[in-house]
């Protein structure tokens, strides 16, 4: 046991199910039945008086997944009981508290089935009792996220990746998208979508899901390495929803460079910066580290050597040249931005989360106790 005590941790783990065509059909039928029951319960809930609404309990009962009877039968496979489906295999990629390793504090509290374009999965709810981590003694680091260089660190390191789909897969995806567009073009207004077009849509969704899974895998591995190495990670407080707004404009005031902005928006969404920050947040907390955010303005235009800020310093996407006559420093633009991010944190410009500001306001309103 750690000197800092123990804490209860709850997390989810998703595993791929190995279903035969017959079992997959059963799972589809159960999903349709569950959806119909949910719709009926929701309609009933809306008709009931407020004080008698108990849909939350019904929802918990539907998704509880009791009596899973999970066992590990192989290094790569486990078995689980699924109600109305039977005993099926799932891919074992993470140690789970089952069998002799399970107790009141370390156990699987439930599960639910999830279907995506790549097939059926089971999502476990896991509860464990773990030692409270000691403060991470790793160094501080600033991180700049981008498109050409996905992650650049203030110490000069970079984390990059290849395209999520191979050239053959990209060509296949383009062919399917063009095929779907042709078939949709020849469909008459009000005509039902053909099975052939539905099949094409399923193939497109499968390739996109494969790319998304590879991106998430790369993010998990990268953020785990960063959380293991550094004690404090500093990032920009980016408002991503504003950054990916369309430049189309209106009829009276049409936008400019709409196609270029659309391509930029797709690239930003593909990198999933918000998911990277979310992963870093909980992984650092489990390692005893912290994640801080600083204001984003001018981190790319400020010279990290002399502090001079000018709009023309970033000559290209990769090169930064300081326009200060007394400096003239040049270097990688992403590393320069990452150093500026770390500098803002060290100068005390870290942003307080909304929850922290609320606590501070409540503390200011509390009157000091008077002596009696």
């Amino acid at each position: 046991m750690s000197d800092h005590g123990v804490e209860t941790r709850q997390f989810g783990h998703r595993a791929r199910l190995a279903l035969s065509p017959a079992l997959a059909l059963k799972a589809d039928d159960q999903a349709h039945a569950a959806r119909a029951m949910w719709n009926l319960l929701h309609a009933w809930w809306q008709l009931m008086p407020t004080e008698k609404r108990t849909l939350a309990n019904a929802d918990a009962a539907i998704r509880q997944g009791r009596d899973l009877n999970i066992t590990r039968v192989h290094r790569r496979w486990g078995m689980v009981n699924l109600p109305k489906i039977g005993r099926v295999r799932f891919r074992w990629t993470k140690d789970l508290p089952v069998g002799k390793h399970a107790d009141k504090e370390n156990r699987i509290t439930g599960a639910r089935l999830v279907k995506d374009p790549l097939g059926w999965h089971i999502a476990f709810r896991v509860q464990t009792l773990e030692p409270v981590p000691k403060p991470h003694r790793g160094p501080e680091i600033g991180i700049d996220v981008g498109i050409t260089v996905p992650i650049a660190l203030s110490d000069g390191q970079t984390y990059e990746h290849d395209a999520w789909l191979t050239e053959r897969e990209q060509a296949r995806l383009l062919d399917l998208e063009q095929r779907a567009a042709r078939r949709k073009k020849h469909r008459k207004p009000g005509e039902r979508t053909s099975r052939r077009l539905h099949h094409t849509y399923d193939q497109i969704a499968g390739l996109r899901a494969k790319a998304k899974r590879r991106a998430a895998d790369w993010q998990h591995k990268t953020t785990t390495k960063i959380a293991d190495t550094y004690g404090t990670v500093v990032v920009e407080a980016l408002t991503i929803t504003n950054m990916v707004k369309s430049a189309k404009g209106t009829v009276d005031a049409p936008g400019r460079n709409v196609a270029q902005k659309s391509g930029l928006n797709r690239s930003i969404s593909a990198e999933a910066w918000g998911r990277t920050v979310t992963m870093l947040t909980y992984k650092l907390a489990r390692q005893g580290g912290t994640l801080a955010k600083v204001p984003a303005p001018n981190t790319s235009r400020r010279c990290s050597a002399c502090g001079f800020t000018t709009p023309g310093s970033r000559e290209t996407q990769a090169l930064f040249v300081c326009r200060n006559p007394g400096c003239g420093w040049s270097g990688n633009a992403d590393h320069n931005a990452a150093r500026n991010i770390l500098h803002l944190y060290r100068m005390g410009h870290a942003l307080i989360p909304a929850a922290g500001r609320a606590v501070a306001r409540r503390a200011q309103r509390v009157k000091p106790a008077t002596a009696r």
Side-chain angles (χ1 to χ4, degrees):
M1 181 179 297
S2 170
D3 295 337
H4 297 265
V6 294
E7 63 181 357
T8 300
R9 176 185 164 220
Q10 295 180 346
F11 62 94
H13 173 63
R14 183 166 164 170
R16 176 167 56 89
L17 291 174
L19 298 180
S20 64
L23 292 180
L25 184 60
K26 279 188 177 182
D28 290 337
D29 292 340
Q30 289 302 311
H32 292 314
R35 186 182 301 109
M37 180 177 290
W38 171 260
N39 291 337
L40 290 173
L41 285 171
H42 189 265
W44 168 79
W45 178 80
Q46 289 180 314
L47 294 174
M48 293 294 292
T50 304
E51 63 274 8
K52 294 184 179 181
R53 292 178 176 178
T54 58
L55 185 59
N57 295 335
D59 174 43
I62 292 173
R63 298 183 300 165
Q64 185 61 35
R66 298 181 181 275
D67 301 327
L68 296 173
N69 191 20
I70 301 171
T71 58
R72 187 172 185 177
V73 297
H74 188 265
R75 182 171 63 89
R76 295 184 177 181
W77 295 98
M79 298 288 289
V80 58
N81 283 342
L82 299 182
K84 308 295 184 181
I85 297 177
R87 191 156 180 81
V88 299
R89 293 193 306 164
F90 68 92
R91 190 63 183 264
W92 191 284
T93 57
K94 184 180 181 65
D95 288 336
L96 299 172
V98 298
K100 63 181 182 180
H101 301 290
D103 53 36
K104 184 178 179 181
E105 301 294 343
N106 300 275
R107 59 195 175 95
I108 294 177
T109 59
R112 62 188 179 95
L113 297 182
V114 181
K115 186 179 182 182
D116 65 11
L118 296 179
W120 280 98
H121 301 75
I122 184 168
F124 297 108
R125 295 196 306 270
V126 185
Q127 174 184 306
T128 59
L129 192 66
E130 298 182 353
V132 177
K134 297 180 180 180
H136 200 302
R137 298 186 178 275
E140 301 171 342
I141 198 71
I143 290 182
D144 177 65
V145 292
I147 297 172
T148 305
V149 179
I151 295 179
L153 307 186
S154 56
D155 61 2
Q157 293 190 63
T158 58
Y159 291 93
E160 303 179 46
H161 58 75
D162 297 327
W164 303 128
L165 296 176
T166 64
E167 293 184 1
R168 184 175 181 179
E169 290 170 336
Q170 293 178 29
R172 175 65 174 165
L173 178 61
L174 179 60
D175 178 67
L176 290 170
E177 291 174 337
Q178 293 174 344
R179 186 184 308 174
R182 288 194 301 268
R183 289 173 178 170
K184 185 176 180 181
K185 180 180 179 181
H186 294 293
R187 190 178 60 183
K188 297 179 181 179
E191 184 181 359
R192 293 183 61 182
T193 305
S194 65
R195 288 188 176 182
R196 182 176 296 178
L197 183 54
H198 270 304
H199 181 63
T200 303
Y201 285 151
D202 290 341
Q203 290 176 302
I204 293 173
L207 284 172
R208 290 177 177 172
K210 185 178 292 186
K212 184 177 179 179
R213 178 177 292 183
R214 290 171 181 171
D217 179 70
W218 179 84
Q219 284 181 308
H220 271 295
K221 293 177 180 178
T222 303
T223 53
T224 297
K225 186 174 182 180
I226 293 174
D228 290 342
T229 305
Y230 302 99
T232 301
V233 175
V234 190
V235 298
E236 294 175 293
L238 298 174
T239 308
I240 301 175
T241 53
N242 293 340
M243 297 175 65
V244 297
K245 283 185 177 180
S246 174
K248 185 178 298 183
T250 62
V251 176
D252 298 330
R256 296 180 299 176
N257 299 325
V258 178
Q260 293 88 332
K261 183 62 168 65
S262 298
L264 176 63
N265 291 348
R266 286 193 296 270
S267 298
I268 293 174
S269 299
E271 291 301 330
W273 296 337
R275 187 169 61 193
T276 298
V277 174
T278 300
M279 290 181 180
L280 282 172
T281 301
Y282 74 80
K283 290 182 180 182
L284 283 165
R286 284 161 49 185
Q287 296 287 350
T290 56
L291 183 132
K293 294 184 179 181
V294 297
N298 295 326
T299 54
S300 297
R301 299 189 298 176
R302 177 185 180 275
C303 176
S304 60
C306 69
F308 190 76
T309 302
T310 179
S313 294
R314 192 159 184 170
E315 291 196 347
T316 64
Q317 181 67 27
L319 179 62
F320 181 93
V321 178
C322 182
R323 296 303 181 185
N324 183 2
C327 179
W329 180 86
S330 64
N332 183 275
D334 299 302
H335 296 157
N336 177 74
R339 284 191 286 266
N340 286 328
I341 292 169
L342 180 59
H343 173 76
L344 286 174
Y345 170 77
R346 290 174 172 173
M347 294 299 293
H349 293 287
L351 300 176
I352 302 175
R357 289 196 294 269
V359 172
R361 286 195 297 269
R362 288 196 299 268
Q364 291 176 356
R365 290 196 297 265
V366 175
K367 296 181 180 179
T370 57
R372 296 185 178 180

